Amino acid sequence: MTGLPPEIGRLAVPGFLAFAVVSATLLGPVSEASHAAERAPVSAGDLVIDTVVGTGDVGNTGDGGRARSAGLREPMDVTTGSDGTLYVLAGQQVRAVDPKTKDITTIAGTGKSGFSGDGGPAKKATFSGYENSYPANGLAVGSDGTVYVADTGNHRIRAIDPDDGTIRTVAGSGRGEEGGFSGDGGKATRARLQNPKDVAVDADGNLYIADSENSRVRLVDADTGKISTIGRSDTYVSTDGIAVHPSGRVYVSDQTGNQVLVVDRQKKTMEPVAGRGTSAAEVQGPTGLAFSRDGKALYVAGTDPFAEYPGKARIFRLELATNKVRTYAGGGAAEALGDGGRPTDAYLGEQLSSSTRGVAMGPAGELYLTDSRNLRVRSVRKARHPVRDDDRLAGQRIDSLVGSGKRTSAEDFGDNEDGPFERGAHALDDVDLQSPSDVVVADDGTMYLADTGNDMIRMVDPDDGVVRTLAGRPDYRPYDEDGDGDGGKATKAYLEDPRALALGPDDRLYFANETSDETMIRYVDLDDGTIDTLRGSRYEFTAPTGLAFDGKGDLYVLDADAQRLCRLELDADECVTVVADDPGSGPGAETERFVSPTALAIGPGGALLVANGNQILRVDKRTGQVSTFAGYVFGRSVEGGGGSAYSASFGYIADMSVADGTLYLTDKANHRVRAIDLKQHVVRRVAGTGKLREGGGSDGAINGGGDFTGDGKPAGKAELNEPSAVAVGPDGELYIVDSSNRRVRVIGETEITPGIVVHPLVTIAVITVLLIAAAIVLRVWWRRRKHQPTGAGAA
């Protein structure tokens, strides 16, 4: 759990307003509400596009982990094996995605450009890159699992053995730089190819080569290993992509000539079937080709035929029986990644260098495509279930639980017993909270709240339903005058801007306490109410914004100013760096992506999730490796609810909490609470309309921020004002710190029932009356007993 970053927390309220407004302006379309009309809802059976490999991060990373969390470098082509394995050619490497585990591994290539490795392990081989003018461009897999690579700049076709993982050349002598054409009728390895851009293989193992600069289609016989030409053109045809129909017909794409051609084997010619000069003229700039599972259609990677150069990348579906063409994917608004929505709403880049080039058909009828612009491999398939914009909680009632919503000025604080309050226990709706920043809820339903502006930590016990002070006192004095209170009662200790709460496994509440001299991690023992400072935390941090315990009981600390994440064992003397921006300070030192870390949570499998401004990063606690978990890396996605978390836009993530397979987060600049389903990895709206108020709202809402409305109504229709924290209760209820509305709000049924708080003077008066009444009763009884006849006289 985290609150406001310390550097922001020290600013005045108008200062933070400026940050929120500027952030919302610069980020542009970060509001799903403002774009709800741009995307029609997706129903079961509709086509939907999604990311299957890649986070949008540059570089081939993530081997051994989930493909969705891996980075890709220059994805060029994609293909699938008969067992469902997905192969990706990216950045001079071939990577494979296991169909069961969805994990990704590299099976060939070092990532460096060159030519080497034949006869040895494919992982140590090098392929042509842009340094060779033409990078390795095409990929295919045979029925026996052999993977073929069109090593374009090396003028070769190479094969990766599925049994021993070795690599060899199966076609091309490598002399293509000298120009010319030769080799027909002889061994394929002696033939001269010139920049072959693609390769295909049929069910019998025969290879088909798009011999680009020679304007030919060539065939390598599986039995003899000899090469021949089966299609050629007297004019230049840039054979960029190639595909073999189940019937044996061979199709090639000609990006330069804006046409798709079919090979006539008898005439050894290539005749156009789509594009320029045909009835299917809508196809423009074709590259990759793939047939549908039933063989009735050809999918073509191309560009918008009606746009001025450069045209937007598209995937076309060409019906072979009628030659009718329609856009199957792509063509959406610029920067619209589109995950979770209709494929025609997605943006796939533009012509040539940033276009989509590779397409392949999967075993279940899904279409895979390489999205070079967004550094991903995407799939287009039928939606299994309708895509919902709202989380299950969005329709449940939201109510204010704690806080009056009143703004109390500094002059009103005075030297009262409890800050702006006049008594130690308070009714839930009679609490003047000041910049509340974080909240956590224990298993027994007790709620703990960082009342940061009042320099206190509050607690609400569900048994009596009143607010009490757990730690801190109002008459603040410098530490050097009276000490910090360590070892004594927490209610007698002096706190300063307490934030970032975490419940420990040892029945203690931990929090970050920042002073003018030092910042430390302190804790309150919930059994005896004493306070102390965690060993190893003094002089260790500058501005902690996130605390989280893992399953082993280790405390992870996110230090915003130091851009550092570290692990602090409770009895250790120092916090061990997991990742930082200082080279040499940890295993993940090379990351420069911790720009403004604000929140920390423990994710699936114990992964560390770090909110970094408008993105969520995943940090491997063992290696320190950082990858994108959620948030569109280019920052201007129009995605809202129901879309992939990778493509969602967030304004400013202030806090996160994981419960029951869901990650809840406060999108503070957008005045919303949102949820990410950790299984489906889609983002949904939970609470807040996200409306901005030009003139300010009621009940103390900040000008330009959100308003305060909606109590008693569905949470999705309520208005929040810069929510700073979120926590899940033991029964699934969701607690929201609606910071600038100075309230804690709750969605769902809660067992906390508002209690009755009696003023101490009233209590004294009642006790006094009862004592007087008791005294009178005793006196009357004694006098009657004294005058009562006894013995014989009584008779």
Side-chain angles (χ1 to χ4, degrees):
M1 301 295 168
T2 64
L4 293 171
E7 64 272 25
I8 296 176
R10 288 191 293 265
L11 295 175
V13 168
F16 184 80
L17 164 64
F19 168 80
V21 173
V22 171
S23 296
T25 302
L26 292 178
L27 287 172
V30 296
S31 165
E32 69 259 22
S34 62
H35 296 278
E38 296 185 16
R39 190 187 74 184
V42 177
S43 301
D46 289 345
L47 291 177
V48 63
I49 192 168
D50 206 354
T51 295
V52 292
V53 185
T55 62
D57 301 321
V58 179
N60 286 336
T61 61
D63 266 7
R66 291 297 178 93
R68 289 285 297 262
S69 298
L72 285 181
R73 177 188 170 205
E74 300 163 3
M76 301 296 291
D77 202 6
V78 63
T79 190
T80 57
S82 58
D83 62 351
T85 300
L86 181 68
Y87 298 93
V88 185
L89 176 61
Q92 292 78 60
Q93 291 182 299
V94 180
R95 311 184 73 187
V97 180
D98 187 288
K100 295 180 180 179
T101 66
K102 308 301 182 185
D103 291 342
I104 190 169
T105 55
T106 297
I107 65 169
T110 64
K112 296 181 179 180
S113 297
F115 172 73
S116 65
D118 270 8
K123 290 182 179 181
K124 295 184 178 180
T126 55
F127 299 98
S128 61
Y130 284 105
E131 294 84 348
N132 305 89
S133 297
Y134 291 94
N137 198 79
L139 197 62
V141 60
S143 57
D144 62 351
T146 301
V147 178
Y148 299 92
V149 180
D151 196 355
T152 308
N154 286 322
H155 315 289
R156 291 174 168 89
I157 305 298
R158 304 172 77 179
I160 303 166
D161 191 293
D163 297 323
D164 58 16
T166 59
I167 192 170
R168 70 186 190 280
T169 295
V170 293
S173 64
R175 299 174 60 193
E177 291 181 3
E178 302 172 14
F181 156 81
S182 67
D184 273 3
K187 288 290 185 182
T189 52
R190 297 180 182 178
R192 184 173 296 178
L193 306 177
Q194 195 169 1
N195 294 324
K197 289 186 177 178
D198 202 6
V199 60
V201 58
D202 65 17
D204 297 324
N206 300 306
L207 291 182
Y208 300 83
I209 303 170
D211 193 357
S212 181
E213 296 299 321
N214 284 323
S215 298
R216 293 174 182 251
V217 175
R218 306 181 77 176
L219 168 68
V220 178
D221 188 277
D223 297 325
T224 66
K226 293 183 177 181
I227 193 169
S228 61
T229 296
I230 62 171
R232 62 175 179 266
S233 176
D234 294 332
T235 59
Y236 179 71
V237 173
S238 64
T239 50
D240 295 276
I242 191 167
V244 183
H245 191 271
S247 67
R249 294 192 305 275
V250 180
Y251 291 74
V252 294
S253 61
D254 175 16
Q255 185 181 33
T256 303
N258 295 315
Q259 58 186 339
V260 177
L261 307 102
V262 64
V263 173
D264 186 322
R265 296 199 186 198
Q266 290 184 341
K267 297 179 180 180
K268 293 186 179 180
T269 59
M270 294 182 284
E271 303 296 331
V273 295
R276 185 182 61 188
T278 70
S279 61
E282 289 84 356
V283 174
Q284 178 99 352
T287 51
L289 303 175
F291 288 102
S292 62
R293 295 288 294 175
D294 58 11
K296 294 181 179 181
L298 177 67
Y299 295 98
V300 183
T303 58
D304 187 348
F306 306 112
E308 295 182 4
Y309 178 86
K312 292 179 181 177
R314 295 173 183 259
I315 304 297
F316 298 99
R317 179 181 165 103
L318 170 64
E319 302 295 338
L320 298 178
T322 63
N323 262 18
K324 290 184 178 180
V325 175
R326 65 182 173 91
T327 298
Y328 193 74
E335 310 298 343
L337 187 63
D339 273 354
R342 298 177 184 276
T344 50
D345 291 337
Y347 176 69
L348 304 177
E350 296 172 348
Q351 196 171 8
L352 299 179
S353 61
S354 63
S355 70
T356 294
R357 304 184 66 89
V359 288
M361 183 56 59
E366 67 275 31
L367 183 73
Y368 294 103
L369 58 97
T370 56
D371 185 351
S372 303
R373 167 64 173 82
N374 294 310
L375 300 176
R376 289 166 164 86
V377 173
R378 320 281 292 278
S379 72
V380 178
R381 56 174 174 78
K382 290 185 177 180
R384 299 180 181 91
H385 305 286
V387 175
R388 296 185 296 115
D389 282 346
D390 292 334
D391 185 76
R392 62 178 179 83
L393 291 172
Q396 295 191 35
R397 190 178 75 180
I398 188 171
D399 284 299
S400 292
L401 179 66
V402 178
S404 66
K406 296 179 181 178
R407 183 195 301 268
T408 304
S409 64
E411 301 86 59
D412 296 333
F413 282 9
D415 291 324
N416 294 326
E417 175 193 344
D418 203 5
F421 313 112
E422 296 181 354
R423 49 191 181 274
H426 322 285
L428 298 182
D429 60 355
D430 192 31
V431 177
D432 296 346
L433 302 177
Q434 302 299 315
S435 301
S437 65
D438 202 5
V439 62
V440 292
V441 183
D443 291 340
D444 63 358
T446 303
M447 186 188 75
Y448 301 94
L449 175 68
D451 190 0
T452 305
N454 283 324
D455 297 325
M456 296 181 189
I457 295 175
R458 313 290 187 182
M459 65 173 289
V460 179
D461 190 322
D463 292 334
D464 58 16
V466 298
V467 181
R468 289 184 171 85
T469 298
L470 178 71
R473 55 188 297 174
D475 52 338
Y476 174 77
R477 298 187 183 90
Y479 285 5
D480 56 5
E481 289 185 11
D482 295 295
D484 54 19
D486 275 359
K489 288 292 183 180
T491 50
K492 300 294 184 181
Y494 300 110
L495 308 183
E496 187 171 351
D497 293 336
R499 63 186 71 241
L501 306 178
L503 283 166
D506 49 3
D507 204 25
R508 294 172 177 173
L509 179 71
Y510 293 80
F511 63 96
N513 188 192
E514 180 181 357
T515 73
S516 57
D517 298 324
E518 59 182 331
T519 300
M520 65 199 79
I521 307 301
R522 306 183 74 182
Y523 62 85
V524 177
D525 190 309
L526 299 178
D527 290 329
D528 60 18
T530 59
I531 192 170
D532 216 329
T533 298
L534 187 61
R535 174 184 170 187
S537 75
R538 286 186 182 273
Y539 314 110
E540 183 79 23
F541 308 109
T542 54
T545 57
L547 304 179
F549 282 92
D550 67 3
K552 296 181 179 180
D554 292 335
L555 177 64
Y556 287 84
V557 183
L558 184 65
D559 196 352
D561 284 358
Q563 297 180 339
R564 175 188 179 216
L565 175 63
C566 60
R567 182 183 70 255
L568 180 60
E569 296 181 8
L570 298 185
D571 58 352
D573 293 325
E574 62 178 340
C575 200
V576 179
T577 296
V578 177
V579 62
D581 69 344
D582 179 18
S585 64
E590 69 277 4
T591 181
E592 298 177 356
R593 300 170 58 195
F594 274 15
V595 178
S596 55
T598 54
L600 177 65
I602 304 295
L608 303 172
L609 301 179
V610 177
N612 191 45
N614 61 348
Q615 275 193 302
I616 300 175
L617 305 177
R618 182 185 185 277
V619 179
D620 188 303
K621 65 171 65 175
R622 294 178 295 103
T623 66
Q625 187 179 52
V626 180
S627 59
T628 300
F629 182 82
Y632 189 31
V633 71
F634 295 107
R636 290 185 61 83
S637 166
V638 298
E639 278 305 303
S644 169
Y646 289 113
S647 63
S649 284
F650 303 103
Y652 179 86
I653 302 171
D655 191 30
M656 301 183 296
S657 181
V658 176
D660 298 327
T662 301
L663 173 68
Y664 296 95
L665 60 94
T666 55
D667 191 351
K668 189 168 186 175
N670 285 321
H671 311 287
R672 292 174 173 84
V673 173
R674 303 169 77 179
I676 297 176
D677 186 307
L678 297 178
K679 179 177 290 186
Q680 299 180 3
H681 211 78
V682 296
V683 61
R684 300 188 179 108
R685 180 169 53 97
V686 177
T689 63
K691 293 181 180 179
L692 301 178
R693 296 281 175 171
E694 295 182 0
S698 61
D699 288 304
I702 298 178
N703 291 340
D707 201 351
F708 170 73
T709 63
D711 270 2
K713 297 180 179 179
K717 297 181 179 180
E719 289 180 292
L720 306 176
N721 194 345
E722 297 180 327
S724 64
V726 64
V728 182
D731 295 324
E733 64 274 22
L734 193 70
Y735 296 85
I736 301 169
V737 177
D738 195 357
S739 184
S740 291
N741 280 325
R742 299 164 187 83
R743 292 172 169 91
V744 177
R745 305 175 79 176
V746 63
I747 305 173
E749 295 297 327
T750 172
E751 293 186 0
I752 297 178
T753 302
I756 299 175
V757 180
V758 180
H759 194 284
L761 293 179
V762 175
T763 302
I764 294 173
V766 171
I767 293 174
T768 302
V769 170
L770 291 175
L771 289 174
I772 293 173
I776 293 174
V777 170
L778 287 173
R779 182 176 178 83
V780 171
W781 174 80
W782 175 255
R783 294 185 63 170
R784 287 183 177 179
R785 188 173 187 275
K786 182 177 181 181
H787 293 88
Q788 184 176 4
T790 58

PDB file of all heavy atoms in Angstrom, residues 469-488:
ATOM      1  N   THR A 469      -7.264   7.075  17.538  1.00  0.00           N
ATOM      2  CA  THR A 469      -5.887   7.325  17.137  1.00  0.00           C
ATOM      3  C   THR A 469      -5.020   6.166  17.596  1.00  0.00           C
ATOM      4  O   THR A 469      -5.003   5.817  18.776  1.00  0.00           O
ATOM      5  CB  THR A 469      -5.365   8.634  17.746  1.00  0.00           C
ATOM      6  OG1 THR A 469      -6.165   9.712  17.263  1.00  0.00           O
ATOM      7  CG2 THR A 469      -3.921   8.871  17.367  1.00  0.00           C
ATOM      8  N   LEU A 470      -4.300   5.553  16.635  1.00  0.00           N
ATOM      9  CA  LEU A 470      -3.402   4.454  16.961  1.00  0.00           C
ATOM     10  C   LEU A 470      -2.002   4.948  17.264  1.00  0.00           C
ATOM     11  O   LEU A 470      -1.320   4.418  18.144  1.00  0.00           O
ATOM     12  CB  LEU A 470      -3.353   3.454  15.794  1.00  0.00           C
ATOM     13  CG  LEU A 470      -2.407   2.267  15.960  1.00  0.00           C
ATOM     14  CD1 LEU A 470      -2.952   1.310  17.017  1.00  0.00           C
ATOM     15  CD2 LEU A 470      -2.207   1.545  14.640  1.00  0.00           C
ATOM     16  N   ALA A 471      -1.567   5.971  16.521  1.00  0.00           N
ATOM     17  CA  ALA A 471      -0.210   6.494  16.716  1.00  0.00           C
ATOM     18  C   ALA A 471      -0.187   7.964  16.339  1.00  0.00           C
ATOM     19  O   ALA A 471      -0.930   8.416  15.467  1.00  0.00           O
ATOM     20  CB  ALA A 471       0.787   5.714  15.874  1.00  0.00           C
ATOM     21  N   GLY A 472       0.670   8.731  17.047  1.00  0.00           N
ATOM     22  CA  GLY A 472       0.823  10.148  16.767  1.00  0.00           C
ATOM     23  C   GLY A 472       0.119  11.021  17.771  1.00  0.00           C
ATOM     24  O   GLY A 472      -0.829  10.593  18.429  1.00  0.00           O
ATOM     25  N   ARG A 473       0.612  12.237  17.885  1.00  0.00           N
ATOM     26  CA  ARG A 473       0.000  13.215  18.777  1.00  0.00           C
ATOM     27  C   ARG A 473       0.044  14.574  18.104  1.00  0.00           C
ATOM     28  O   ARG A 473       0.920  14.847  17.274  1.00  0.00           O
ATOM     29  CB  ARG A 473       0.711  13.256  20.122  1.00  0.00           C
ATOM     30  CG  ARG A 473       2.189  13.500  20.052  1.00  0.00           C
ATOM     31  CD  ARG A 473       2.865  13.336  21.391  1.00  0.00           C
ATOM     32  NE  ARG A 473       2.413  14.277  22.391  1.00  0.00           N
ATOM     33  CZ  ARG A 473       2.791  14.248  23.666  1.00  0.00           C
ATOM     34  NH1 ARG A 473       3.619  13.295  24.076  1.00  0.00           N
ATOM     35  NH2 ARG A 473       2.343  15.131  24.519  1.00  0.00           N
ATOM     36  N   PRO A 474      -0.888  15.461  18.424  1.00  0.00           N
ATOM     37  CA  PRO A 474      -1.007  16.717  17.675  1.00  0.00           C
ATOM     38  C   PRO A 474       0.024  17.767  18.031  1.00  0.00           C
ATOM     39  O   PRO A 474       0.409  18.567  17.186  1.00  0.00           O
ATOM     40  CB  PRO A 474      -2.413  17.197  18.027  1.00  0.00           C
ATOM     41  CG  PRO A 474      -2.645  16.646  19.399  1.00  0.00           C
ATOM     42  CD  PRO A 474      -1.962  15.310  19.412  1.00  0.00           C
ATOM     43  N   ASP A 475       0.457  17.804  19.275  1.00  0.00           N
ATOM     44  CA  ASP A 475       1.376  18.865  19.701  1.00  0.00           C
ATOM     45  C   ASP A 475       2.787  18.509  19.274  1.00  0.00           C
ATOM     46  O   ASP A 475       3.659  18.215  20.095  1.00  0.00           O
ATOM     47  CB  ASP A 475       1.281  19.097  21.205  1.00  0.00           C
ATOM     48  CG  ASP A 475       1.432  17.804  21.995  1.00  0.00           C
ATOM     49  OD1 ASP A 475       1.191  16.731  21.410  1.00  0.00           O
ATOM     50  OD2 ASP A 475       1.799  17.890  23.181  1.00  0.00           O
ATOM     51  N   TYR A 476       3.030  18.567  17.968  1.00  0.00           N
ATOM     52  CA  TYR A 476       4.300  18.121  17.406  1.00  0.00           C
ATOM     53  C   TYR A 476       5.455  18.988  17.905  1.00  0.00           C
ATOM     54  O   TYR A 476       5.369  20.203  17.962  1.00  0.00           O
ATOM     55  CB  TYR A 476       4.247  18.182  15.877  1.00  0.00           C
ATOM     56  CG  TYR A 476       5.573  17.861  15.243  1.00  0.00           C
ATOM     57  CD1 TYR A 476       6.014  16.541  15.164  1.00  0.00           C
ATOM     58  CD2 TYR A 476       6.392  18.870  14.770  1.00  0.00           C
ATOM     59  CE1 TYR A 476       7.233  16.235  14.611  1.00  0.00           C
ATOM     60  CE2 TYR A 476       7.618  18.571  14.218  1.00  0.00           C
ATOM     61  CZ  TYR A 476       8.033  17.252  14.135  1.00  0.00           C
ATOM     62  OH  TYR A 476       9.248  16.958  13.594  1.00  0.00           O
ATOM     63  N   ARG A 477       6.545  18.303  18.261  1.00  0.00           N
ATOM     64  CA  ARG A 477       7.779  18.978  18.631  1.00  0.00           C
ATOM     65  C   ARG A 477       8.936  18.305  17.902  1.00  0.00           C
ATOM     66  O   ARG A 477       8.853  17.112  17.579  1.00  0.00           O
ATOM     67  CB  ARG A 477       8.037  18.886  20.141  1.00  0.00           C
ATOM     68  CG  ARG A 477       6.972  19.547  21.003  1.00  0.00           C
ATOM     69  CD  ARG A 477       7.405  19.538  22.460  1.00  0.00           C
ATOM     70  NE  ARG A 477       6.385  20.108  23.323  1.00  0.00           N
ATOM     71  CZ  ARG A 477       5.419  19.401  23.893  1.00  0.00           C
ATOM     72  NH1 ARG A 477       5.348  18.107  23.695  1.00  0.00           N
ATOM     73  NH2 ARG A 477       4.533  19.979  24.664  1.00  0.00           N
ATOM     74  N   PRO A 478      10.004  19.011  17.608  1.00  0.00           N
ATOM     75  CA  PRO A 478      11.158  18.387  16.952  1.00  0.00           C
ATOM     76  C   PRO A 478      11.686  17.213  17.761  1.00  0.00           C
ATOM     77  O   PRO A 478      11.648  17.212  18.990  1.00  0.00           O
ATOM     78  CB  PRO A 478      12.175  19.532  16.870  1.00  0.00           C
ATOM     79  CG  PRO A 478      11.349  20.778  16.921  1.00  0.00           C
ATOM     80  CD  PRO A 478      10.191  20.445  17.823  1.00  0.00           C
ATOM     81  N   TYR A 479      12.208  16.231  17.057  1.00  0.00           N
ATOM     82  CA  TYR A 479      12.712  15.030  17.720  1.00  0.00           C
ATOM     83  C   TYR A 479      13.815  15.348  18.717  1.00  0.00           C
ATOM     84  O   TYR A 479      13.949  14.705  19.749  1.00  0.00           O
ATOM     85  CB  TYR A 479      13.260  14.054  16.681  1.00  0.00           C
ATOM     86  CG  TYR A 479      12.174  13.333  15.912  1.00  0.00           C
ATOM     87  CD1 TYR A 479      10.842  13.644  16.083  1.00  0.00           C
ATOM     88  CD2 TYR A 479      12.508  12.337  15.023  1.00  0.00           C
ATOM     89  CE1 TYR A 479       9.850  12.995  15.372  1.00  0.00           C
ATOM     90  CE2 TYR A 479      11.521  11.664  14.299  1.00  0.00           C
ATOM     91  CZ  TYR A 479      10.204  12.000  14.485  1.00  0.00           C
ATOM     92  OH  TYR A 479       9.243  11.356  13.785  1.00  0.00           O
ATOM     93  N   ASP A 480      14.612  16.344  18.389  1.00  0.00           N
ATOM     94  CA  ASP A 480      15.761  16.601  19.272  1.00  0.00           C
ATOM     95  C   ASP A 480      15.341  17.211  20.603  1.00  0.00           C
ATOM     96  O   ASP A 480      16.150  17.350  21.510  1.00  0.00           O
ATOM     97  CB  ASP A 480      16.782  17.499  18.565  1.00  0.00           C
ATOM     98  CG  ASP A 480      16.184  18.809  18.080  1.00  0.00           C
ATOM     99  OD1 ASP A 480      14.994  19.060  18.380  1.00  0.00           O
ATOM    100  OD2 ASP A 480      16.893  19.557  17.393  1.00  0.00           O
ATOM    101  N   GLU A 481      14.063  17.592  20.733  1.00  0.00           N
ATOM    102  CA  GLU A 481      13.603  18.128  21.999  1.00  0.00           C
ATOM    103  C   GLU A 481      13.086  17.034  22.926  1.00  0.00           C
ATOM    104  O   GLU A 481      13.404  17.000  24.106  1.00  0.00           O
ATOM    105  CB  GLU A 481      12.483  19.154  21.770  1.00  0.00           C
ATOM    106  CG  GLU A 481      12.976  20.447  21.144  1.00  0.00           C
ATOM    107  CD  GLU A 481      11.863  21.466  21.047  1.00  0.00           C
ATOM    108  OE1 GLU A 481      10.787  21.230  21.652  1.00  0.00           O
ATOM    109  OE2 GLU A 481      12.059  22.489  20.367  1.00  0.00           O
ATOM    110  N   ASP A 482      12.280  16.165  22.387  1.00  0.00           N
ATOM    111  CA  ASP A 482      11.631  15.165  23.233  1.00  0.00           C
ATOM    112  C   ASP A 482      11.843  13.738  22.769  1.00  0.00           C
ATOM    113  O   ASP A 482      11.246  12.818  23.320  1.00  0.00           O
ATOM    114  CB  ASP A 482      10.121  15.442  23.299  1.00  0.00           C
ATOM    115  CG  ASP A 482       9.824  16.759  23.997  1.00  0.00           C
ATOM    116  OD1 ASP A 482      10.107  16.849  25.195  1.00  0.00           O
ATOM    117  OD2 ASP A 482       9.330  17.668  23.322  1.00  0.00           O
ATOM    118  N   GLY A 483      12.641  13.538  21.732  1.00  0.00           N
ATOM    119  CA  GLY A 483      12.804  12.191  21.205  1.00  0.00           C
ATOM    120  C   GLY A 483      11.629  11.813  20.335  1.00  0.00           C
ATOM    121  O   GLY A 483      10.657  12.558  20.200  1.00  0.00           O
ATOM    122  N   ASP A 484      11.710  10.655  19.735  1.00  0.00           N
ATOM    123  CA  ASP A 484      10.670  10.256  18.790  1.00  0.00           C
ATOM    124  C   ASP A 484       9.645   9.312  19.401  1.00  0.00           C
ATOM    125  O   ASP A 484       8.722   8.868  18.723  1.00  0.00           O
ATOM    126  CB  ASP A 484      11.294   9.613  17.552  1.00  0.00           C
ATOM    127  CG  ASP A 484      12.220   8.463  17.905  1.00  0.00           C
ATOM    128  OD1 ASP A 484      12.112   7.934  19.027  1.00  0.00           O
ATOM    129  OD2 ASP A 484      13.042   8.086  17.050  1.00  0.00           O
ATOM    130  N   GLY A 485       9.815   8.943  20.647  1.00  0.00           N
ATOM    131  CA  GLY A 485       8.835   8.109  21.316  1.00  0.00           C
ATOM    132  C   GLY A 485       9.079   6.629  21.211  1.00  0.00           C
ATOM    133  O   GLY A 485       8.247   5.834  21.676  1.00  0.00           O
ATOM    134  N   ASP A 486      10.186   6.202  20.602  1.00  0.00           N
ATOM    135  CA  ASP A 486      10.460   4.771  20.457  1.00  0.00           C
ATOM    136  C   ASP A 486      10.482   4.076  21.818  1.00  0.00           C
ATOM    137  O   ASP A 486      11.059   4.568  22.791  1.00  0.00           O
ATOM    138  CB  ASP A 486      11.811   4.556  19.758  1.00  0.00           C
ATOM    139  CG  ASP A 486      11.670   4.595  18.250  1.00  0.00           C
ATOM    140  OD1 ASP A 486      10.546   4.771  17.766  1.00  0.00           O
ATOM    141  OD2 ASP A 486      12.693   4.449  17.552  1.00  0.00           O
ATOM    142  N   GLY A 487       9.825   2.913  21.859  1.00  0.00           N
ATOM    143  CA  GLY A 487       9.773   2.139  23.085  1.00  0.00           C
ATOM    144  C   GLY A 487       8.591   2.468  23.969  1.00  0.00           C
ATOM    145  O   GLY A 487       8.300   1.731  24.916  1.00  0.00           O
ATOM    146  N   GLY A 488       7.900   3.572  23.661  1.00  0.00           N
ATOM    147  CA  GLY A 488       6.761   3.963  24.475  1.00  0.00           C
ATOM    148  C   GLY A 488       5.455   3.772  23.735  1.00  0.00           C
ATOM    149  O   GLY A 488       5.389   3.132  22.684  1.00  0.00           O
TER     150      GLY A 488
END
